[in-house]
Amino acid sequence: MLKVEHLTKIYEGGTLALDDVSFEVPDGQFLAVIGLSGSGKSTLLRCINRLIEPTDGRITWNGVDVTKASQEEMRRIRRRIGMVFQHFNLVHRSKVLTNVLQGSLGYVNPALSLINRFPKEEVSKAYRQLARVGLQEKAAQRADELSGGQQQRVGVARALMQDPEMILADEPVASLDPVLAHSIMQYLETINREDDVTVLCSLHFLDLVHRYADRAIALNEGKLVFQGPPSEIDDDKFKEIYGQEAERVG
Amino acid sequence: MADGNNTSQQSPLDAMPLKPKRGFKRTIFFILAMVFGVIVYAYGFAVTDVNLDEIRSETRQTQLVRVLRALARPDLLSYERVETPTDTAFAMPCPAGGFNADGVDENARHITVEPACVEPGGKITVRGANFSANARGTLVQIPPSGDLELRLAEFQVDGNGDFELVVNTRERESDQPQTIRAITRENIGTIFKPVQVEVTSDAGVVSTVRSPRISKSTTDTWDRIIETVFLAFLATTLGTVIAVPLSFMAARNLMRDISVPMTKLALQLLAMPVGVGLGILAAGWARTISEQLTDSVFLVILGLVVIPFLMVLAFRWALPPVEEEPPTPMERSGRAVVILIASVGGIVVLFLLASLMVTVGDWLAPRLSTFDFLGSFVASLGDILNAIITLLTALATAGVLMNLAGKLGMWMRGHLPAGFIKVFRIPLAAAAGAVLAVLIGMGIGWLYQITDPMKIYWVPAAVGAAIGLALAIRAYQKEQVAIGLSIYYIARTIFNAIRSIEPLVMVIVFVVWVGIGPFAGSLALALHTVAALAKLYSEQVESIQSGPIEAVKASGATRIQTIVYAVIPQIVPPYISFTLYRWDINVRMSTIIGFAGGGGIGFLLQQNIRLLNYSAASVNMLAIAIVVASMDYLSSRIRERIV
C-alpha cells in the first residue's frame, strides 16, 4: 500500500510543482496518472522514490516512511521500485545485457560490481528478463543499436531485474508510435497481473488509460483534480482536467 | 479567457518603422574608435621595440643569411674530405723588368693572378678555372720560405667550375717569387655511393672508415628524441591516471547533489586525522611484521602465497555477493574484525611484494645485459611501492574511519532525540572546525617556519571553532551542508591555479628536487597534465546525459556504482580523445622543456644554438618536426578508430 499525504514540491526557483497532493494506491493496482505537460506528473513519480526531494508532506510505502529514510535505507527502498522512463534512459555505449544488469546493482556486492562482475545467478536472471521482453538475442549488442521500442523493452527488463513490488512508469510510451505503445503497455499489464506488481504510470492518451488502468488520478497545475475509475472521466471531468479549450482526440 | 484571441488586431509588421540611416553620433563614435585603435597600435609598436633600422643593417642581414644557410644544411651525415692544392706564382714587390708567372695549361685545373706582381699589401684578382663545380675552398698566400700558409679568403666555385675573387695580399716583401694557393675541399663519396677511406688519426693510427657516415649530431639527436618521446609518454599516462578520478570532483552535475548533515560532517572531519594516525601506526606494524620475513626470499614468497589466499577466504566470508537482508549487528562486528585483520595482512603483502620486487630487480639487472633496464624498472617499482604504502594505508584508514563516523552520525540522527542533536552538533561543529584549522595552521607553520604555538595552534583553533559554530548556528534549520559544491569549487580553483603555470616554469622547481634531466621534465609535464586534463574531463562529465544517471540511481545503486555504470560509459570516447590530444601537446612541450633543464631534445637544441652550431641545431629541429608531425598523424588516426 502506497500512501501519499499532503505532498508538496516547490522547486528552487519558486515553481509550485505539486500542491498538497494526497492519494492512496492499494497493492497490485494499475494506476494511471494523467494531466497536461507540466502538471506535475513526473515530479510526483520522482518524489515517490525520492529522485526529487519533496518539500513537504509524507509518503509511506508498506508502512515505511519514505520521506524520512536515510540514504542507506533509501537505497533499500529504491531497489524494490522499478522505474521506466519516457526517454528509456539506457546507457547507449553499454551492452544491452549490462543495461539490464544495472537493475541488480542495489542487491549485489558493491565492490565486485565496480569491476563489472556479477554473480552467475544475476546474469542468467538478466537473460531471463530479456527473454521475457523478447530480446534475448540482442543481449550482446550496444543499446544504441536498438530501435526505440526495443530500447523501451530493455528499460522494462531492467526494471524487472529489480524484482520490483512497484513500478513507476514516467510516460513510458510518449516517444513511441501507437502500435509500439500498446506492446509496451501490454508488458506493463502482464507484470501487473501476473507478478502482482503495483504500477503507477503517467499517460497522455485517454484511450490507453481506459484500456489498461484500474484507476486514474489527474493533476492540473500541481493539484489533484480527479481520482476514480477511468470510466468516470466524462466530458465535464475531461474539461476540468485538461482545461476548457481542450478537445478529446482519443 | 474566451475573448483572449481578439485583443490584438495589429500585425507585428506595422509596428516596425524603417530604420534611419547611421546617425551623426554614430559616425563620430566610429571615428573616435578608429583613432583610439591607431593609438593603441602605435603604443604597441613602441613597447615591443619594432625597429626597422636593425632589420635593414647589413651586418644583421649577412648574419641572418649565414644562419639560414647553416640551418638549410642539417648536419645529418659527416663526410671524409680530400684537399686539393692548385698553385701559381707571383711577386711582391714588383722586380725591375716585371714578373711573369709560368704558363698554364688552359685545359687543366688552374688559377691565374692579375696583376702578376703587386706592392706589399696590394690588391690582386684571382681567377680559377676547371675546378669541380660548386666546390668550396680557401685561398692562401705562401711566402718563399714555404712553411707558412697565410689565409686570404674563402671561395666558392660556380656551377661551371670557375671562380673569381679580389683579395688583399699580406705584406711579405721578398725578392723571391711567392705562391698563391687555392685549396679546395671536397667530400668523398655520396649517399648513393659511399666509399671506404683510410684515415690517420692525430695519434698516428690508421683506420678505415665509411664516407659519408651518420654524423655525431644525428646519433645524439636520435638518443635525445627517443628520450623526448618517452618523457611525453610517461607524463601523459601518469597525468591521465591521476586526472580521471579528480575530474569527477570538478564536475558540477555530480557534486551538486552531495550534501551531508552537519552532525555527520563534523564527526567525519574529526575522524580524518585519527584515521591518518591509525593508518600510519598500522603501516608501522605491518612493516615490522614483514621485516621478520624479508631476510629470506623463500619466506617472502611463502608469505606472498599464503597471506593473499587467507585474505580471499576472509573477504569471501565477510562480503557475500548477494545480500537480501541487512546483516545483524553481531554479524556486522564479526565481519569488521575479520576485514580489519585481513587488511593488515594486505599491507604486509604489499611490503613483501615491494621487497621481492627490489630483490628480483637487482638480481635481474646485471643478468639481462641489453635489457638491464627491465630489471631496474622492477626494482624501482618495488621502491616506489615501498615508499607509498604508508601513505596509501593512512588514506585508506582515514577513509574507513570517516565512513564509520558518518554511519555513527546517521545512527545518532535516527536514534537520539532531535532536540539533543540540534544542541549537540554545535560543539561538535566547533571541534571539527578547530581540528581542520589547526591542521591548516600546522601546514602554514611548517612553510613559514613559525614555531610559536600561539600562532600555529591556539589562534587557528579559535578561528576554526568560531567558523564551525557560525556554520552550525546558521544551518540550524536546514541541517544539510553542501559539501559537494565546496569540493567542486576547491578542486576547480586548484586546477586553474596549476594550469596557469606553464610546465616550463614548473620544471625549475622539479629540477631542484630531482636534478636536471628528463625525470624533472616528465614530473613537471605530468603535473600540468593532471590539471589541464582534469578540467577538460570534468567539462565532459558535465555535458553527459542525465537520464542514465537517474535510471541507475533509481535502481538503488550507490554513488560509486552510479558513476561506474552511468557516467563512465558515456565519457570514454571524449576521455580517450582528450588524452590523445594531451599526448600531442606533451610531445611538443617536451621538445622545449629541456631549455629549462627538463631533459629531452630541448637540452641539445639549446646547447647547439648557444655554440652557434646551427647545422647541428638544424638536425634537432628536423627531428622535432618529424616527431610532432607523425604524433599528430598517429593520434588523429587512433582517435578516428576509437571514437
Side-chain angles (χ1 to χ4, degrees):
Chain A
M1 163 91 104
L2 176 76
K3 203 168 161 188
V4 175
E5 295 163 276
H6 308 293
L7 185 65
T8 303
K9 172 66 191 177
I10 303 169
Y11 282 109
E12 255 172 62
T15 320
L16 181 66
L18 290 176
D19 188 0
D20 196 20
V21 174
S22 304
F23 63 93
E24 282 178 14
V25 190
D27 284 343
Q29 193 171 64
F30 196 121
L31 179 81
V33 183
I34 56 176
L36 287 169
S37 296
S39 60
K41 303 189 296 288
S42 293
T43 308
L44 172 65
L45 291 180
R46 281 172 173 71
C47 279
I48 290 170
N49 64 358
R50 273 180 55 198
L51 284 180
I52 291 176
E53 288 294 331
T55 312
D56 206 2
R58 215 157 80 108
I59 299 168
T60 19
W61 186 45
N62 297 341
V64 179
D65 188 344
V66 176
T67 33
K68 286 241 162 54
S70 73
Q71 268 181 3
E72 186 57 33
E73 288 160 351
M74 202 56 232
R75 289 205 319 107
R76 292 185 185 278
I77 295 170
R78 275 180 189 160
R79 66 183 194 182
R80 294 277 177 203
I81 305 178
M83 194 155 185
V84 180
F85 301 86
Q86 176 181 0
H87 298 294
F88 326 136
N89 289 358
L90 301 186
V91 180
H92 286 172
R93 288 179 48 83
S94 294
K95 284 195 297 184
V96 167
L97 184 69
T98 314
N99 270 291
V100 176
L101 279 169
Q102 281 167 11
S104 68
L105 283 177
Y107 296 92
V108 297
N109 178 343
L112 282 181
S113 76
L114 293 189
I115 48 171
N116 215 342
R117 301 231 71 67
F118 287 90
K120 277 207 188 74
E121 315 84 80
E122 295 293 321
V123 176
S124 52
K125 187 170 146 198
Y127 275 110
R128 278 205 308 278
Q129 306 302 355
L130 274 175
R132 215 171 154 190
V133 295
L135 286 174
Q136 65 272 48
E137 77 282 4
K138 304 275 186 193
Q141 284 190 27
R142 264 176 56 159
D144 57 0
E145 289 169 0
L146 267 53
S147 69
Q150 290 173 331
Q151 289 197 24
Q152 191 60 299
R153 277 145 71 191
V154 176
V156 172
R158 177 176 60 192
L160 283 176
M161 191 68 197
Q162 292 175 236
D163 285 334
E165 291 164 29
M166 176 160 72
I167 284 186
L168 305 174
D170 180 23
E171 312 219 1
V173 297
S175 351
L176 300 173
D177 64 52
V179 179
L180 286 174
H182 276 290
S183 110
I184 294 294
M185 289 309 293
Q186 276 156 14
Y187 281 119
L188 289 178
E189 188 182 36
T190 316
I191 295 162
N192 174 247
R193 299 270 181 278
E194 289 179 6
D195 305 6
D196 208 21
V197 173
T198 313
V199 175
L200 267 71
C201 180
S202 62
L203 285 171
H204 266 313
F205 288 106
L206 271 180
D207 64 335
L208 291 179
V209 177
H210 285 296
R211 161 81 177 71
Y212 294 101
D214 300 327
R215 201 161 71 96
I217 60 171
L219 292 173
N220 190 351
E221 291 183 349
K223 285 196 184 62
L224 192 72
V225 291
F226 169 81
Q227 53 176 325
S231 53
E232 276 180 20
I233 306 176
D234 51 20
D235 282 356
D236 285 345
K237 278 278 176 242
F238 180 83
K239 284 210 188 308
E240 200 180 317
I241 298 166
Y242 287 102
Q244 292 302 323
E245 293 98 88
E247 289 192 26
R248 296 186 84 139
V249 285
Chain B
M1 287 302 274
D3 56 346
N5 17 352
N6 47 8
T7 46
S8 66
Q9 296 279 0
Q10 247 178 340
S11 153
L13 284 175
D14 299 340
M16 206 91 87
L18 272 177
K19 241 189 164 178
K21 274 191 173 179
R22 178 190 284 171
F24 180 66
K25 250 166 123 179
R26 250 185 100 98
T27 316
I28 294 285
F29 178 76
F30 183 71
I31 291 170
L32 281 177
M34 287 287 280
V35 170
F36 181 71
V38 169
I39 291 172
V40 166
Y41 228 80
Y43 187 70
F45 259 56
V47 169
T48 48
D49 263 342
V50 176
N51 189 341
L52 293 175
D53 289 342
E54 283 281 359
I55 297 176
R56 277 190 221 105
S57 99
E58 200 161 311
T59 46
R60 293 273 179 203
Q61 280 180 3
T62 47
Q63 275 172 349
L64 177 67
V65 168
R66 194 166 58 81
V67 172
L68 285 180
R69 285 193 177 149
L71 286 178
R73 278 201 190 81
D75 182 15
L76 289 169
L77 300 171
S78 61
Y79 289 88
E80 287 305 315
R81 286 179 171 151
V82 285
E83 298 192 341
T84 321
T86 313
D87 294 352
T88 188
F90 91 118
M92 178 193 294
C94 278
F99 176 81
N100 270 318
D102 302 335
V104 291
D105 180 356
E106 288 290 336
N107 294 319
R109 173 203 296 240
H110 68 273
I111 56 172
T112 56
V113 173
E114 193 188 308
C117 65
V118 287
E119 291 312 303
K123 259 191 197 344
I124 55 171
T125 305
V126 181
R127 292 193 184 83
N130 299 330
F131 280 77
S132 311
N134 302 318
R136 289 142 75 81
T138 313
L139 202 64
V140 296
Q141 173 186 353
I142 303 172
S145 55
D147 54 359
L148 194 68
E149 291 188 345
L150 299 168
R151 197 180 152 277
L152 295 180
E154 299 289 318
F155 65 87
Q156 163 95 50
V157 182
D158 66 17
N160 298 323
D162 302 330
F163 73 91
E164 185 179 315
L165 210 58
V166 179
V167 291
N168 290 316
T169 52
R170 303 291 188 95
E171 292 183 33
R172 289 289 188 280
E173 291 178 45
S174 171
D175 46 359
Q176 299 288 313
Q178 308 199 15
T179 310
I180 293 288
R181 174 176 289 173
I183 306 166
T184 52
R185 290 181 302 274
E186 284 171 70
N187 294 337
I188 306 173
T190 61
I191 275 199
F192 310 105
K193 236 176 106 182
V195 289
Q196 303 289 336
V197 200
E198 282 200 347
V199 291
T200 314
S201 72
D202 294 339
V205 183
V206 179
S207 57
T208 315
V209 295
R210 241 167 105 93
S211 175
R213 59 181 185 279
I214 309 279
S215 72
K216 182 88 172 43
S217 306
T218 313
T219 52
D220 288 350
T221 305
W222 174 257
D223 288 348
R224 290 293 180 158
I225 204 83
I226 294 294
E227 190 179 300
T228 307
V229 170
F230 279 92
L231 191 160
F233 177 70
L234 279 189
T236 312
T237 43
L238 189 65
T240 307
V241 167
I242 301 175
V244 168
L246 290 182
S247 66
F248 297 125
M249 294 188 188
R252 188 177 252 278
N253 56 344
L254 297 186
M255 303 304 282
R256 191 180 43 212
D257 299 331
I258 303 180
S259 57
V260 288
M262 190 66 143
T263 332
K264 186 178 168 188
L265 179 67
L267 281 171
Q268 284 185 323
L269 274 179
L270 286 172
M272 186 176 63
V274 180
V276 169
L278 281 181
I280 293 173
L281 216 63
W285 293 336
R287 191 188 287 272
T288 329
I289 297 174
S290 68
E291 270 164 7
Q292 308 295 317
L293 302 172
T294 44
D295 292 336
S296 140
V297 179
F298 173 72
L299 280 180
V300 169
I301 294 173
L302 191 71
L304 276 176
V305 174
V306 173
I307 300 177
F309 179 69
L310 292 177
M311 275 171 62
V312 168
L313 285 185
F315 279 116
R316 276 263 171 93
W317 178 78
L319 300 169
V322 180
E323 255 188 295
E324 286 296 335
E325 290 306 317
T328 62
M330 254 321 265
E331 275 178 322
R332 258 178 205 269
S333 32
R335 285 175 185 181
V337 170
V338 169
I339 290 176
L340 198 70
I341 295 171
S343 304
V344 174
I347 310 169
V348 173
V349 166
L350 287 179
F351 274 119
L352 291 182
L353 190 65
S355 125
L356 185 69
M357 281 166 86
V358 173
T359 319
V360 169
D362 287 344
W363 182 81
L364 275 180
R367 287 171 177 75
L368 286 173
S369 60
T370 325
F371 295 99
D372 60 345
F373 63 90
L374 286 176
S376 332
F377 176 64
V378 172
S380 304
L381 280 188
D383 221 15
I384 294 172
L385 184 61
N386 196 19
I388 59 172
I389 291 172
T390 309
L391 179 72
L392 288 180
T393 313
L395 286 180
T397 321
V400 169
L401 227 63
M402 283 168 77
N403 195 348
L404 287 181
K407 289 214 168 114
L408 176 68
M410 295 316 287
W411 179 86
M412 279 168 56
R413 268 165 54 82
H415 293 77
L416 298 181
F420 174 73
I421 295 284
K422 274 193 176 174
V423 179
F424 178 63
R425 70 164 184 242
I426 293 175
L428 208 58
V435 166
L436 196 65
V438 165
L439 287 179
I440 295 172
M442 279 162 72
I444 293 174
W446 171 81
L447 196 61
Y448 292 100
Q449 295 178 297
I450 303 169
T451 46
D452 182 3
M454 188 68 196
K455 281 183 190 152
I456 56 173
Y457 298 120
W458 306 124
V459 174
V463 173
I467 294 175
L469 267 180
L471 273 178
I473 291 166
R474 226 198 99 204
Y476 195 76
Q477 287 305 323
K478 278 176 73 183
E479 245 270 307
Q480 300 279 326
V481 182
I483 190 73
L485 274 186
S486 320
I487 294 176
Y488 164 82
Y489 282 117
I490 293 171
R492 271 285 152 121
T493 313
I494 293 175
F495 292 154
N496 281 333
I498 295 178
R499 214 164 44 87
S500 65
I501 303 168
E502 278 293 306
L504 216 52
V505 181
M506 283 182 191
V507 78
I508 296 169
V509 179
F510 281 105
V511 160
V512 174
W513 187 27
V514 300
I516 289 180
F519 186 36
S522 43
L523 286 180
L525 272 182
L527 182 58
H528 196 260
T529 304
V530 168
L533 276 186
K535 185 188 153 70
L536 287 176
Y537 285 167
S538 63
E539 270 154 23
Q540 282 308 309
V541 174
E542 283 174 3
S543 69
I544 59 174
Q545 295 175 321
S546 58
I549 299 179
E550 196 179 30
V552 172
K553 240 197 223 166
S555 71
T558 60
R559 201 179 292 283
I560 299 177
Q561 285 176 329
T562 312
I563 289 182
V564 170
Y565 282 91
V567 179
I568 290 182
Q570 293 196 60
I571 53 176
V572 165
Y575 269 40
I576 290 175
S577 170
F578 278 128
T579 308
L580 287 172
Y581 175 59
R582 188 65 211 182
W583 187 17
D584 214 76
I585 294 179
N586 278 350
V587 169
R588 257 178 291 146
M589 281 306 300
S590 61
T591 59
I592 58 159
I593 202 137
F595 276 65
I601 192 137
F603 186 68
L604 202 61
L605 180 58
Q606 184 202 32
Q607 222 171 32
N608 283 328
I609 292 175
R610 291 249 167 101
L611 294 172
L612 307 182
N613 191 355
Y614 293 108
S615 309
S618 176
V619 179
N620 304 153
M621 293 186 206
L622 200 65
I624 292 173
I626 292 172
V627 165
V628 171
S630 42
M631 214 73 255
D632 189 74
Y633 175 74
L634 194 71
S635 66
S636 69
R637 285 305 291 272
I638 298 176
R639 227 175 308 175
E640 265 170 37
R641 274 281 173 82
I642 299 178
V643 183

